[in-house]
Amino acid sequence: MEVKRYAARKVLLKKGVLLRNAVVQVAEDGTILSIANITDEEAAKEGLPIHDGYLCAGFINAHTHSELAFLDGLFLPGGSMAAFLRQIDALRLQFDEEQIRTAQARGYETFAKEGIVAYADISNDASTAYFKKNERFRSITFVEMFGVNSKLGEEAYEVGKKVLKEFKEQGVTAYMTPHATYSVSATLWELMRSQLERAPIFSLHYAETAQEINFLKNNAGAIYDLFHRDWKRKVEAYNMKEMEKCLEYYGAEHKHILLVHGVALTSFMVAFIRSAAPEATIVPCPESNLFIEGRLADYDMLRASNIRIAVGTDSLSSSPSLSILKQLQVINTYYPHIPVEELLVWATQNGAEACMFDGLGVLEANIRPGLNLIKMPNVESNSLQGATVQPLADLKGFSNL
Ligand SMILES: [Zn+2]
């Protein structure tokens, strides 16, 4: 079996364990064989370059909508959630199946090029099942449900059951999931209850915008007006108190809850989540957060709270890229004091723990977690400006990219 050796100035094994000047030996089926320190002299003798940068496990994209790759570049940055929802509604463009598949395939190619080895995927239909049943990635699919009142909720649940069945028939790991706080009625939460109780994990767009908080706390604001006044829908979503009760309920069952975005979270809200739902993870999608809300989550506050943070790309409807490195670069620009090593943990080990991808996210012998080289102009600078990702191995073997 062919074996390759890669060396870098920093090799991130897992949270808190970083080797300096180390070499990773990987087999052609992607298995990590060994990780050991190497001196400059030894490397020179072997003719092995020691790259300026990090070696780390393959990236985990903890939130994306791969089915929406065809919406690339169609949306305007509206500066608010309501503006974004309005555009989705106005965008009744007809795409044929061929166009959608071509765009989806391009999206998955991008994942591979960007060193992503596993992803948590929101799906409203089963159009991605054809790909997922033979993919080189590991994935978990969340069949997304929304319906802001009883009637819409009941209709959505029937459709959701069919979509879920379609995925399962094709051998795809899939669970039902609520869309967001403001779009799921009490009735729909109840309908989904048996599904959510059976599943170990679900995802929820949570505290994405200030408008959402206004909706939850005051039954007011641009999202509320859009649903109630403009779309003439009866609004029967949970309020803030009810929403917290709901998180408490599933938190007590130790569900891995992916709370996606978290831009509008306060330290009080995070403290509540920490105690009510110990296995919850905050999953910001930085580029998307800038596109929709014009700001990022409060990473200093999140770090201080010790809650698990993972990273997602969101979809091409609200994010200019499907690159995890790009998300880290955005955070690094706004929060240059957060160690790059910690950002890499969010994008690897934390993502794997959040999404329950066992055996991924860390570098150790005898597993196949993928291997990425993050080349940096200066690895000691803590700056990701000018950094690139080169996937060296994925879950099945050497990367041929
Ligand atoms: Zn999303």
Side-chain angles (χ1 to χ4, degrees):
M1 181 149 61
E2 199 191 341
V3 168
K4 288 186 180 173
R5 286 161 67 75
Y6 298 100
R9 292 292 166 207
K10 295 186 177 182
V11 178
L12 178 65
L13 305 194
K14 61 180 177 179
K15 192 175 177 179
V17 186
L18 182 79
L19 297 184
R20 286 176 174 270
N21 274 23
V23 57
V24 177
Q25 190 159 275
V26 57
E28 67 177 309
D29 70 351
T31 305
I32 304 294
L33 297 173
S34 68
I35 307 155
N37 283 107
I38 190 167
T39 63
D40 284 11
E41 296 72 44
E42 288 164 345
K45 216 189 261 174
E46 229 187 281
L48 188 68
I50 301 183
H51 294 288
D52 212 6
Y54 284 82
L55 283 167
C56 65
F59 285 146
I60 312 295
N61 186 352
H63 181 77
T64 191
H65 304 240
S66 67
E67 70 186 12
L68 297 182
F70 64 97
L71 292 177
D72 187 8
L74 290 175
F75 287 73
L76 305 167
S80 84
M81 193 66 217
F84 183 72
L85 294 170
R86 230 175 252 284
Q87 288 187 67
I88 292 184
D89 195 55
L91 200 75
R92 298 270 181 234
L93 293 176
Q94 292 302 309
F95 288 87
D96 64 45
E97 206 174 315
E98 183 68 29
Q99 286 172 304
I100 290 175
R101 278 203 180 192
T102 306
Q104 287 171 347
R106 218 171 30 235
Y108 295 123
E109 263 168 48
T110 306
F111 282 0
K113 281 189 196 132
E114 294 292 334
I116 293 166
V117 296
Y119 60 99
D121 201 34
I122 304 293
S123 296
N124 285 278
D125 57 47
S127 65
T128 53
Y130 79 96
F131 179 84
K132 287 169 180 167
K133 60 182 180 185
N134 295 314
E135 64 187 348
R136 279 177 83 92
F137 305 95
R138 198 166 332 155
S139 67
I140 180 169
T141 293
F142 294 113
V143 174
E144 181 175 72
M145 313 288 295
F146 50 87
V148 75
N149 54 45
S150 297
K151 186 170 171 291
L152 292 171
E154 278 159 16
E155 288 165 12
Y157 187 68
E158 290 311 309
V159 176
K161 277 196 295 193
K162 284 196 194 109
V163 174
L164 187 65
K165 190 161 165 259
E166 246 178 279
F167 274 116
K168 286 188 171 167
E169 279 170 0
Q170 310 232 33
V172 175
T173 307
Y175 303 102
M176 261 191 199
T177 215
H179 166 249
T181 58
Y182 54 83
S183 60
V184 176
S185 60
T187 305
L188 184 51
W189 275 107
E190 272 311 308
L191 284 170
M192 274 189 297
R193 188 210 284 253
S194 65
Q195 302 271 355
L196 297 178
E197 282 179 344
R198 248 178 294 153
I201 182 169
F202 68 89
S203 162
L204 176 70
H205 294 88
Y206 194 74
E208 183 174 4
T209 65
Q211 291 176 351
E212 177 185 336
I213 303 301
N214 197 7
F215 179 102
L216 286 171
K217 283 196 169 158
N218 311 314
N219 245 347
I223 296 177
Y224 185 84
D225 288 347
L226 178 69
F227 284 165
H228 187 67
R229 188 191 63 200
D230 299 357
W231 289 347
K232 311 257 180 285
R233 290 179 193 163
K234 219 162 137 191
V235 175
E236 298 166 347
Y238 283 157
N239 63 27
M240 189 62 129
K241 278 248 139 35
E242 292 163 330
M243 194 60 242
E244 289 186 343
K245 261 213 161 71
C246 177
L247 287 181
E248 209 161 31
Y249 178 79
Y250 290 110
E253 297 189 353
H254 287 263
K255 303 294 179 194
H256 280 238
I257 308 173
L258 305 177
L259 294 173
V260 178
H261 299 309
V263 173
L265 285 174
T266 62
S267 56
F268 284 111
M269 291 167 78
V270 177
F272 169 80
I273 295 164
R274 280 279 288 152
S275 69
E279 287 301 337
T281 305
I282 309 299
V283 186
C285 303
E287 284 188 290
S288 175
N289 298 151
L290 289 178
F291 186 90
I292 300 277
E293 188 69 344
R295 68 190 182 98
L296 298 177
D298 183 345
Y299 292 97
D300 287 333
M301 180 274 288
L302 292 175
R303 291 171 79 219
S305 77
N306 275 322
I307 198 160
R308 184 164 51 214
I309 305 168
V311 183
T313 62
D314 218 348
S315 78
L316 288 175
S317 65
S318 62
S319 171
S321 88
L322 295 174
S323 161
I324 286 290
L325 178 61
K326 194 70 213 294
Q327 311 311 313
L328 303 187
Q329 287 172 317
V330 169
I331 303 171
N332 180 249
T333 301
Y334 285 73
Y335 292 82
H337 52 279
I338 302 179
V340 165
E341 177 189 332
E342 185 178 334
L343 300 180
L344 292 174
V345 169
W346 298 356
T348 54
Q349 186 176 357
N350 284 10
E353 286 173 5
C355 302
M356 308 181 86
F357 293 133
D358 287 348
L360 301 188
V362 296
L363 284 185
E364 61 183 52
N366 303 319
I367 61 170
R368 290 190 282 178
L371 181 65
N372 283 340
L373 171 62
I374 315 301
K375 276 194 195 156
M376 295 164 66
N378 176 5
V379 74
E380 301 303 332
S381 69
N382 205 54
S383 168
L384 284 172
Q385 301 315 306
T388 56
V389 55
Q390 187 185 342
L392 304 173
D394 62 20
L395 305 186
K396 298 275 173 78
F398 295 145
S399 176
N400 46 19
L401 297 164

